[in-house]
Amino acid sequence: MWVTSLVSVLPLAVFAFALPSKDCEHKVKEAVVPPRHWVVSGPAPPDHLIKLRIGLPQPNFDVLEDHLYAVSDPYHERYGAHLTKEEVEELVAPHPDSVSEVNGWLSSHGIQEEDVGRSPAGDWLTIKLPVQLVEKMLDTKYHVWKHTGSGEQIVRTTSYSLPKDIFEHVELIQPTTMFGTFKKLKSSLHSISKIDPQLQSQNLPPITDSATGLTVDASCNTTITITCLQQIYNAVGYTPSAGIGNSVGISGYLEDFANRADLQAFFEDQVPAAAAVNATYNFVSVAGGLDPQDPDEVGVESNLDTQFAFGLTFPIESTYFSTAGRPPFIPDIGTPEDTNEPYTDWLDFVLSHPNPPLSISTSYGDDEQTVPESFAKRACAGFAQLGARGVSLFVSSGDGGVGDGDPDPATQECITNDGTNRTQFIPGFPASCPFVTAVGGTVLFPERAVSFSGAGFSNYFSRPRYQDAAVTGFLKKLPAGTYSGLFNPNGRAIPDVSAQSDFFRVFVNGQPFHVGGTSASSPAFAGFVGLLNDARLKKGLPSLGFLNPLFYSKAASGFNDITVGNNPGCGTEGFNATVGWDAITGLGTPDFGKLVKLVT
Ligand SMILES: *[C@@H]1O[C@H](CO)[C@@H](O)[C@H](O)[C@H]1NC(C)=O
Ligand SMILES: *[C@@H]1O[C@H](CO)[C@@H](O)[C@H](O)[C@H]1NC(C)=O
Ligand SMILES: *[C@@H]1O[C@H](CO)[C@@H](O)[C@H](O)[C@H]1NC(C)=O
Ligand SMILES: *[C@@H]1O[C@H](CO)[C@@H](O)[C@H](O)[C@H]1NC(C)=O
């Protein structure tokens, strides 16, 4: 009796200790209304693997943010004193209690330390796990969701929970509630068309802009080349150097691949000095990103980005990042690829790099509302880390005017995803992150705003101080009640700046095409910042890093103010370009000649 009861009690007692009490009571961490157009098409296969990312809180992020603003403020004594990789990592490291609590939770589910990937700062954990285990850990149920328009399928849940004891030790877990997906994540290419050879034979007199006094070739009104950008942005004759620690980067996603033969054709057409030495870029694979060079694998976006960013900055060292991910995603195969958005893979990689490029352009984004707020904030915090290390980040502002990126403003839905179905302007992410420089679009010469220039006001990020005066000045000029309820007047406003965005002469499979979109303006702007960094490094000054505090203050006079044009969307005429900052071209386009004086 005694013996048997001991035997039966002992396993029970062990069981009670092994099953942590923390697993008994879960609390909802995040819940979303299923976004429009997504319907459940069935339960998630229990063995489907999910690459789970667990973000631990960064309790000292506000300290990092203070450092970032100090080193980015041209009037601060610490301007330019960027932080090292190790300093940044220390400031985003989680509290040791969070690490041990989460470790305990993972091991209580049989997860071994060797199965857990950790970012250098320890703030992100990555583990491949079957759906059935994730469902148990997060007290949730995953489903295969299908997009009624595109047919795209993803494995997601609308809510997840955490045991009470670790609730505060985890900031977010994805993929859970993230319905903005890899495939949906759009590049901001607006148009592509074969160039009519007739265009080249025009023999018109040069055009002079009476406002700036600049003269450009007549052809620049219909076709943008490297020479045109140098003329329009007052950089003719500026010669950058190699070998002084400067670098420019382009990030590519979605298996849109840059092609080296096309880069060479472009150089022969527009940058003879680069062609003469067969100049090319460093290829960097992120998370297994490929680098095919076959003609049928050529990506227009990546060709546009590499040709213009690297054409403007030759011979500065150039890097093209190819981040893996092959849409469409098929959820019944036991592979974890494609279920995440790409920024975290790219950010993990670049943040772990000792010397990331100093000026980096990304022409990919999606509607802010498709990205859960917790995720947007965390990815944005990653961009801040790069800024603190002296990297300037550029993101296209989008191609939908104030709308949702649908090329036809009349059919843009502009409806909120939160279940209330309100009509609202739709800003883009990551442009809406206050720690990147969002680049809008202009066209023609003299320049005017391009109608598709993505713009608006974030619903996630409040207005950063650096743009307070500029944006409130713009809002005050709006007729009373303008678009009331359609946008958040206290939100981070985009774009910050702009550049030419249409009729770029890009080589694809050896042939010239006209390519347009804020996809073009972002790499072009990044190129000019590469030149500004050249001027600074030559004077022994540090790289520019996070630019917005400089642009909205000391360097504001280095921009051409664009005052003509508007950006229709959501059934409205959008915002007008105005004197000063506006929600279509931001501060305006760069006057390199002025900017170089202001920053050196
Ligand atoms: C530039 O192109 C626009 C649109 O095609 C045209 O209206 C304008 O006259 C052109 N400007 C010059 C100076 O040629
Ligand atoms: C550039 O590449 C071409 C073709 O591969 C080759 O013939 C030429 O010698 C190269 N030029 C230089 C300067 O390396
Ligand atoms: C919002 O739209 C969705 C999809 O059209 C619909 O199912 C839902 O009932 C609407 N909700 C409200 C509050 O109107
Ligand atoms: C844009 O300018 C037009 C013409 O001046 C004006 O009628 C309209 O109200 C302005 N729209 C906004 C949003 O400021």
Side-chain angles (χ1 to χ4, degrees), residues 383 393-395 430-438 466 492 496 546 548:
F383 297 128
L393 289 172
F394 302 93
V395 177
S432 69
C433 165
F435 304 122
V436 304
T437 298
Y466 61 73
R492 142 84 166 141
D496 298 298
F546 173 43
N548 296 357

Side-chain angles (χ1 to χ4, degrees), residues 295-430:
D296 56 356
E297 296 265 24
V298 174
V300 175
E301 175 69 66
S302 294
N303 271 8
L304 162 69
D305 298 355
T306 50
Q307 290 173 16
F308 274 87
F310 305 157
L312 279 167
T313 54
F314 171 80
I316 295 171
E317 184 174 307
S318 54
T319 298
Y320 170 68
F321 296 97
S322 169
T323 302
R326 176 186 287 275
F329 162 65
I330 303 165
D332 51 10
I333 295 177
T335 52
E337 63 182 349
D338 297 338
T339 59
N340 277 309
E341 43 50 59
Y343 301 119
T344 38
D345 277 341
W346 184 80
L347 269 168
D348 271 2
F349 182 89
V350 177
L351 285 168
S352 65
H353 198 289
N355 293 305
L358 297 177
S359 173
I360 304 179
S361 172
T362 294
S363 290
Y364 294 81
D366 206 343
D367 299 344
E368 185 185 68
Q369 66 170 356
T370 68
V371 181
E373 184 166 352
S374 59
F375 173 78
K377 296 217 153 138
R378 189 58 183 248
C380 187
F383 297 128
Q385 293 169 55
L386 281 173
R389 288 174 57 187
V391 174
S392 305
L393 289 172
F394 302 93
V395 177
S396 314
S397 69
D399 289 349
V402 294
D404 64 6
D406 188 308
D408 179 0
T411 59
Q412 283 178 354
E413 281 193 302
C414 302
I415 293 176
T416 57
N417 243 347
D418 58 1
T420 63
N421 299 350
R422 282 166 298 136
T423 299
Q424 208 174 55
F425 291 163
I426 308 287
F429 180 83

Side-chain angles (χ1 to χ4, degrees), residues 13-292:
V14 169
F15 183 63
F17 278 106
L19 181 76
S21 59
K22 52 182 84 160
D23 254 17
C24 300
E25 222 182 322
H26 277 68
K27 196 169 142 193
V28 173
K29 187 72 183 174
E30 193 169 357
V32 298
V33 177
R36 291 169 65 77
H37 306 305
W38 287 100
V39 294
V40 168
S41 78
D47 295 332
H48 171 71
L49 283 176
I50 290 183
K51 186 170 152 195
L52 206 65
R53 282 180 161 277
I54 303 175
L56 306 190
Q58 302 165 323
N60 295 319
F61 183 77
D62 52 343
V63 181
L64 174 76
E65 196 175 340
D66 288 346
H67 283 291
L68 172 66
Y69 278 114
V71 303
S72 310
D73 171 0
Y75 300 116
H76 197 284
E77 59 186 10
R78 287 181 57 213
Y79 181 62
H82 300 126
L83 276 59
T84 63
K85 175 173 181 284
E86 291 69 28
E87 286 167 339
V88 167
E89 283 165 4
E90 210 178 304
L91 289 169
V92 297
H95 192 281
D97 290 353
S98 299
V99 178
S100 60
E101 289 288 332
V102 170
N103 284 351
W105 176 57
L106 295 178
S107 76
S108 76
H109 286 281
I111 297 162
Q112 314 280 317
E113 177 57 29
E114 60 263 32
D115 300 330
V116 181
R118 292 179 193 267
S119 64
D123 56 339
W124 279 111
L125 276 52
T126 319
I127 330 158
K128 286 177 194 172
L129 297 173
V131 159
Q132 54 191 338
L133 178 54
V134 179
E135 287 181 335
K136 212 170 118 209
M137 293 166 68
L138 304 183
D139 191 20
T140 187
K141 189 89 193 114
Y142 276 82
H143 287 91
V144 176
W145 291 79
K146 190 170 181 173
H147 192 271
T148 52
S150 67
E152 178 188 3
Q153 297 190 78
I154 55 178
V155 171
R156 291 295 186 271
T157 174
T158 52
S159 156
Y160 68 98
S161 302
L162 290 171
K164 277 195 164 156
D165 290 4
I166 68 146
F167 192 88
E168 296 302 333
H169 295 294
V170 169
E171 186 174 325
L172 75 168
I173 299 185
Q174 289 294 347
T176 48
T177 54
M178 164 85 85
F179 282 80
T181 68
F182 215 161
K183 187 171 173 217
K184 179 88 195 306
L185 189 107
K186 293 168 283 215
S187 87
S188 41
L189 265 190
H190 185 72
S191 60
I192 304 158
S193 60
K194 196 93 201 288
I195 291 183
D196 174 1
Q198 299 274 312
L199 274 177
Q200 300 315 113
S201 55
Q202 290 172 353
N203 218 345
L204 299 167
I207 310 168
T208 301
D209 180 351
S210 55
T212 60
L214 285 173
T215 295
V216 311
D217 297 345
S219 62
C220 299
N221 201 29
T222 46
T223 294
I224 293 294
T225 60
I226 294 291
T227 304
C228 290
L229 291 176
Q230 289 164 337
Q231 291 179 343
I232 296 170
Y233 298 133
N234 191 19
V236 175
Y238 185 84
T239 316
S241 302
I244 57 169
N246 197 5
S247 46
V248 178
I250 289 295
S251 46
Y253 300 104
L254 290 178
E255 304 213 327
D256 184 291
F257 302 113
N259 185 277
R260 290 185 194 80
D262 282 335
L263 181 66
Q264 181 67 11
F266 175 84
F267 282 163
E268 277 159 21
D269 187 61
Q270 300 181 31
V271 193
V277 295
N278 290 349
T280 189
Y281 47 80
N282 305 312
F283 171 81
V284 174
S285 163
V286 178
L290 303 176
D291 182 29

